[in-house]
């Protein structure tokens, strides 16, 4: 493979809410001087192929001068991307140390949070929250950073969800006065050390009320994660003994914020727009993403890259599982509904809270850390039906509004979702036109699942046929499974 | 009365959390130059008398040059103190206008909020919250101010409680498409106009959960104010047709932030420390307040003034009523337990939420607007017992912690409460000494009320005798009232 050497001289991104386009092209001569003289990046030929929608690693010559590379991507929260995975050379020694420490057993969701924190999605957070961080998150949806440097947000970074680790009385007793503990994954392997720990009370009622704005029974994350958890929280500095792998055939999709930033740089992105989702992609979504790219081009960006970023952690039982969604997303790109050249599909490892306006801030903040400076926000993001009343849990407009006012997110450009629906005249998904509303058909997620479940086809043009087939097959297999689980009635 | 003319040349207050004392005395010559040349204040002789614990108004010659006076007091939030009372010359015209507008009937608590907003306690808030303000308050406990100028807090001011006005469906219907409404007090008089209104949904469950961190039944403010309220909130810009008066014999205690600032200036305060309370003052409180003054003197302040600031709005049924508390506070000053020369007793007109860490921020923020740059915070401020469980609703340390990290309160010096208890050896209230803990007796508010109810005397030195007598008399009258209300059993 031949290597080309190329100077990376992207125009500085507009980090301003008002979307002013970059106004001038910055030429090589203007910048190759002074402290920028080492800004030389070694760029491989694109190794992209139609069978591989993403490039999991980028290749570059590891020259000392590379240390000085300044990306033009949006700055991570706190100024530097957190990476808590111990270098390979130290892993043996750390593993021996971990063996001797009191042990805290992790649930699968706890492990997802270890993954999230360890790769820097929650930068500048460097571990599970201590009480000061927890209280700031709970009351202010943000955290003060000593020394500032938050890059646009001053010395405040957004942090809307409490990222905490619960332990029970017994584990607390076992920890005793130790200041470090080791974290044991659900499979029994030691995954991390938590240092300089602090143990404080887990007031579940208050945490739930302030995070969800309700304490009604039936919130998925509450029922599955918080209610069964212990009455103590343990905070501290995290050290991962190795990168988190799931061995589910999807690990190559799990790019860290660092890897994503490298990929955006490799593709010479001058704008990155992120699309968070936990549902299959239909042509309405695609229309929106393609339209966003066109708007960014019109604004003067030369190479906006789409980060199609499905959530990969805990989801509620009736959501489409991750593996099915990833297969569906692949088909959407294979069919050319989204352009593989300007799209990166990757998995966001966070668990889902379904906490509406509070959670959408987390979804946006984590994508800043991955290099996205534009974030698409829809109707009722991270929302769901009220668990006990016949209404949406959140006002569908609150997510967008809260996101646009959230502390620490000033540097992110928020792109409100335009409503797409099925245009029965044109037989395709189109932006809703209120002057001829009778021509439009709204197909909700529930309705889409009902179609797929019954084997009925949605209207032509709702989703690319190969993507639709993935869903139909999934629901068929689900029904077969359910039928097999029915008790056999004996006569 | 003779008038003396005096230059007001106070050292600039330290508006820094770290309490560095002013380091040098500033002499007249250093400052009487340039734009400060009009900083001449006309100061009357003190008109303080032992029967009048506070000076409700200050007197000064109204010279044009006075407009340029720069107080050395802490800046109000947003840079300028809000004052929404219409000048007398315009009141007639406005009243005529108000008469023709759709009418919104206020409850007694609504009227307390009109009072609070109108006098600028919630500066820079200029009316009942519109949805953007409400959402920021609910999610971030703070509000972004356009154009900044928040004086220390950058462009963010603290705003932890939603200050909102609820209306029902019928009132909403009557308002129709009018953009202004008039507000009618509980006594039927028109008290204000609300302009450029916005009506939005009152999601009570979410408001309660995010404000109190619980939705358990039995929260006093929720039961009395929110549950009976309408399902809509109406925000807008407030104009008061006249100052709010209660005609309860206590109006002379109700100094506005502007009047308090004038009084602090008149007394040449170089530090103002506020003490929020809704209970009688015992000698432990007094010890703390006197100790605080001594600490401020040691830090280099020359004339620290105490703002003893009982809450005057809605309180729960078993709290001691305002008139009894004010009488008790008078006795404490008459008895010299607190020094009248360096103490101002005034009523804070806000209603009480009992919302712990969320509410203590409001209590502190409002006092900034009144000129206080030091705030004393105790154990479990604004807390209460959990309404349905046998525990404190809030962690008793969270109030202090949340206050110290709250956005927009960076400029306020937080003074944590030292624990005082009854020292049975010295027979007086003293700071608790853990090395001889067996000598100390903790007398809770509940215990104090039990003493007063039963007519039993607390230990000598717990409270000044004349103050104690006020409480005993109150509980006696209460019992007489209760006895009178008992149904008479006929034989």
């Amino acid at each position: 493979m031949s290597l080309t050497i190329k100077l990376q001289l992207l125009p500085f991104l507009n980090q301003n809410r008002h979307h002013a386009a970059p106004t001038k092209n910055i030429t090589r001569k203007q910048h190759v001087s002074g402290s920028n003289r080492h800004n030389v990046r070694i760029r491989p030929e694109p190794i992209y192929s139609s069978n591989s929608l993403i490039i999991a690693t980028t290749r570059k010559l590891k020259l000392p001068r590379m240390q000085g590379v300044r990306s033009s991507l949006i700055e991570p929260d706190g100024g530097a991307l957190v990476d808590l995975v111990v270098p390979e050379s130290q892993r043996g020694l750390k593993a021996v140390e971990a063996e001797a420490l009191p042990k805290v057993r992790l649930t699968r969701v706890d492990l997802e949070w270890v993954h999230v924190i360890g790769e820097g999605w929650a930068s500048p957070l460097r571990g599970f929250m201590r009480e000061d961080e927890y209280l700031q998150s709970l009351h202010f949806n943000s955290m003060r950073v000593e020394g500032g440097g938050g890059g646009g947000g001053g010395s405040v970074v957004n942090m809307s969800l409490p990222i905490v680790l619960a332990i029970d009385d017994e584990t607390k007793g076992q920890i005793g006065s130790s200041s470090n503990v080791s974290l044991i994954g659900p499979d029994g392997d030691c995954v991390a050390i938590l240092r300089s720990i602090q143990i404080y009370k887990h007031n579940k009622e208050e945490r739930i009320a302030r995070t969800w704005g309700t304490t009604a029974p039936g919130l998925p994350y509450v029922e599955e994660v918080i209610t069964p958890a212990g009455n103590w929280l343990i905070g501290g500095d995290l050290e991962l003994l190795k990168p988190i792998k799931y061995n589910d055939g999807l690990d190559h999709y799990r790019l860290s914020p660092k890897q994503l930033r490298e990929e955006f740089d490799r593709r010479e992105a001058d704008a990155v727009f992120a699309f968070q989702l936990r549902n299959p992609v239909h042509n309405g979504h695609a229309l929106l993403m393609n339209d966003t790219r066109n708007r960014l081009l019109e604004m003067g960006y030369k190479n906006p890259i789409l980060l199609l970023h499905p959530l990969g952690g805990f989801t509620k039982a009736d959501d489409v599982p991750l593996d099915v969604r990833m297969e569906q997303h692949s088909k959407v790109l294979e069919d050319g509904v989204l352009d593989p050249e300007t799209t990166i599909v990757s998995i966001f490892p966070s668990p889902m809270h379904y906490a509406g306006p509070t959670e959408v801030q987390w979804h946006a903040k984590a994508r800043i850390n991955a290099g996205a400076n534009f974030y698409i926000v829809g109707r009722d993001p991270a929302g769901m039906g009220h668990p006990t009343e016949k209404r949406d849990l959140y006002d569908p407009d609150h997510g967008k509004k809260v996101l646009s006012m959230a502390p620490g997110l000033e540097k992110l450009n928020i792109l409100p979702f335009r409503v797409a629906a099925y245009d029965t005249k044109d037989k395709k998904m189109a932006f809703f036109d209120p002057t001829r509303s009778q021509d439009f058909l709204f197909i909700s997620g529930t309705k889409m699942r009902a179609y797929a479940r019954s084997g009925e086809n949605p209207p032509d043009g709702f989703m690319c046929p190969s993507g639709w087939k993935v869903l139909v097959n999934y629901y068929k297999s689900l029904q077969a499974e359910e039928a097999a689980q029915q008790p056999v009635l004996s006569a």
Side-chain angles (χ1 to χ4, degrees), chain A:
Chain A
M1 181 180 293
S2 70
L3 292 175
T4 58
I5 296 184
K6 205 165 169 184
L7 282 175
Q8 195 195 24
L9 293 169
L10 305 178
F12 287 101
L13 289 186
N14 162 41
Q15 298 186 355
N16 184 303
R17 200 180 288 280
H18 302 295
H19 306 173
T23 48
K24 51 181 174 179
N25 292 320
I26 296 167
T27 65
R28 171 174 172 162
K29 279 189 182 167
Q30 284 175 299
H31 270 68
V32 183
S33 66
S35 63
N36 282 337
R37 69 185 182 281
H38 292 313
N39 283 8
V40 178
R41 281 184 61 93
I42 311 299
R43 178 173 175 272
E45 289 293 286
I47 52 170
Y48 189 89
S49 80
S50 64
N51 291 331
S52 136
L53 298 175
I54 50 149
I55 313 290
T57 54
T58 61
R59 307 181 190 185
K60 48 188 180 179
L61 289 184
K62 285 189 179 161
L63 302 175
R65 69 173 70 171
M66 293 290 299
Q67 297 303 315
V69 167
R70 283 172 62 110
S71 169
S72 63
L73 296 170
I74 192 170
E75 220 181 36
D77 274 353
L81 197 60
V82 166
D83 178 0
L84 303 172
V85 182
V86 169
E88 273 194 275
S89 60
Q90 300 173 24
R91 288 179 194 170
L93 215 64
K94 299 270 186 189
V96 172
E97 184 194 353
E99 196 50 50
L101 293 174
K103 290 176 181 47
V104 170
R105 193 87 186 198
L106 303 178
T107 65
R108 191 146 289 278
V109 171
D110 292 336
L111 186 67
E112 288 167 4
W113 283 120
V114 168
H115 185 177
V116 163
I117 302 166
E119 289 185 346
W121 297 96
S123 294
L125 192 71
R126 302 187 63 85
F128 285 104
M129 289 178 176
R130 296 192 182 89
E131 195 179 33
D132 275 4
E133 294 159 333
Y134 172 70
L135 289 174
Q136 291 182 75
S137 164
L138 215 54
H139 287 273
F140 315 132
N141 283 199
S142 59
M143 253 171 36
R144 213 178 284 276
V145 180
E146 292 300 321
S155 59
V156 166
V157 296
N158 192 268
M159 190 63 75
S160 61
L161 292 185
I163 301 183
V164 289
L165 179 59
I167 55 172
D168 57 20
D169 294 8
E170 193 189 337
T171 307
K172 180 172 182 285
Q174 284 161 1
I175 294 169
S177 62
S178 179
S179 58
N180 306 323
V181 298
S182 62
L183 305 184
I184 310 299
D187 300 335
D189 51 333
C190 179
V191 297
I193 295 175
L194 198 64
R195 294 190 187 279
S196 307
I197 59 164
Q198 184 197 34
I199 297 178
Y200 56 103
K201 275 190 206 144
H202 187 190
N203 183 333
K204 296 180 188 181
E205 182 191 49
E206 184 175 12
R207 175 181 172 197
I208 295 163
R210 295 197 194 280
T211 304
W212 278 270
T214 177
T215 57
L219 299 167
Y221 191 91
V222 171
E223 306 252 303
E224 298 245 7
V225 180
I226 298 182
T227 305
N231 289 319
W232 302 95
L233 297 176
I234 178 171
D237 297 323
L238 195 63
E239 263 184 10
L240 271 67
L241 300 187
K242 59 188 177 194
I244 303 293
K245 296 292 169 202
Y246 298 78
N247 303 313
D248 57 356
L250 301 174
D251 281 331
H252 64 288
Y253 277 118
R254 292 189 176 91
L255 302 196
S256 70
K258 183 163 167 254
Q259 289 170 321
L260 283 171
R261 285 173 170 269
E262 285 168 352
E263 180 61 17
F264 296 137
D265 274 350
R266 198 191 64 76
R267 297 209 194 183
E268 301 185 346
D270 62 351
V272 175
F273 59 113
F275 190 75
Q276 142 75 28
L277 73 172
R278 58 166 220 277
N279 274 314
V281 173
H282 60 57
N283 288 349
H285 298 135
L287 171 68
L288 178 83
M289 291 184 264
N290 288 326
D291 179 67
T292 300
R293 181 172 153 82
N294 288 335
R295 281 159 66 196
L296 293 172
L297 289 170
E298 278 164 22
M299 281 160 64
Y301 290 101
K302 301 298 174 206
N303 189 26
I305 296 288
L306 164 64
L307 172 60
L308 186 68
H309 215 195
L311 180 136
F314 166 82
T315 51
K316 60 189 164 71
D318 64 345
D319 278 354
V320 178
L322 181 62
D323 56 344
V324 180
R325 286 185 279 134
M326 295 314 293
E327 196 188 338
Q328 196 269 350
H329 299 343
S330 297
K331 298 299 177 190
V332 168
L333 273 90
E334 275 176 23
D335 273 19
V337 177
L338 292 171
D339 179 5
E341 286 292 328
T342 58
T343 304
I344 294 176
V345 187
S346 178
I347 291 175
F348 176 47
S350 171
M352 188 78 200
H353 271 57
Y354 305 92
T358 302
E359 186 166 28
V360 72
Q361 298 172 63
W362 160 244
H363 287 172
K365 178 239 164 67
R367 273 51 177 246
I368 290 177
N369 284 333
N373 58 333
F374 286 89
Y375 186 83
I376 301 174
V377 60
R379 186 188 172 279
D380 201 16
M384 52 174 265
H386 193 286
T388 59
E389 298 170 24
K390 280 209 165 183
R391 60 171 177 95
D392 285 334
L393 179 49
Y394 304 106
D395 183 315
D397 289 328
H398 279 187
K400 184 174 56 192
K401 287 179 185 170
V402 166
L403 190 59
S404 72
M405 301 184 290
L409 297 184
E410 300 82 0
K411 59 186 171 179
L412 187 68
N413 297 296
I414 313 289
L415 299 168
F417 219 95
R418 290 171 66 190
V419 178
Y422 187 74
D423 184 341
T424 54
K425 278 275 165 62
D426 279 359
K427 298 204 177 307
K428 63 173 190 181
M429 296 298 284
F431 289 121
F432 177 66
D433 176 356
T435 63
R436 49 184 192 90
S437 61
Q438 72 285 355
D439 296 343
F440 287 87
L441 187 64
F442 284 88
I443 301 174
S444 68
T446 310
K447 180 133 194 178
M448 181 185 73
R449 285 195 291 266
Y451 277 131
R453 226 170 226 289
S454 67
E456 193 186 341
N457 278 330
D460 267 7
F462 171 72
M463 187 183 286
C464 66
S466 61
W468 182 251
K469 211 177 151 201
V470 172
L471 293 188
V472 171
N473 287 344
Y474 162 65
Y475 280 104
K476 258 190 201 157
S477 72
L478 204 64
Q479 283 160 1
E481 227 173 82
E482 281 166 4
Q485 280 170 3
Q486 292 291 324
V488 179
L489 294 174
S490 56

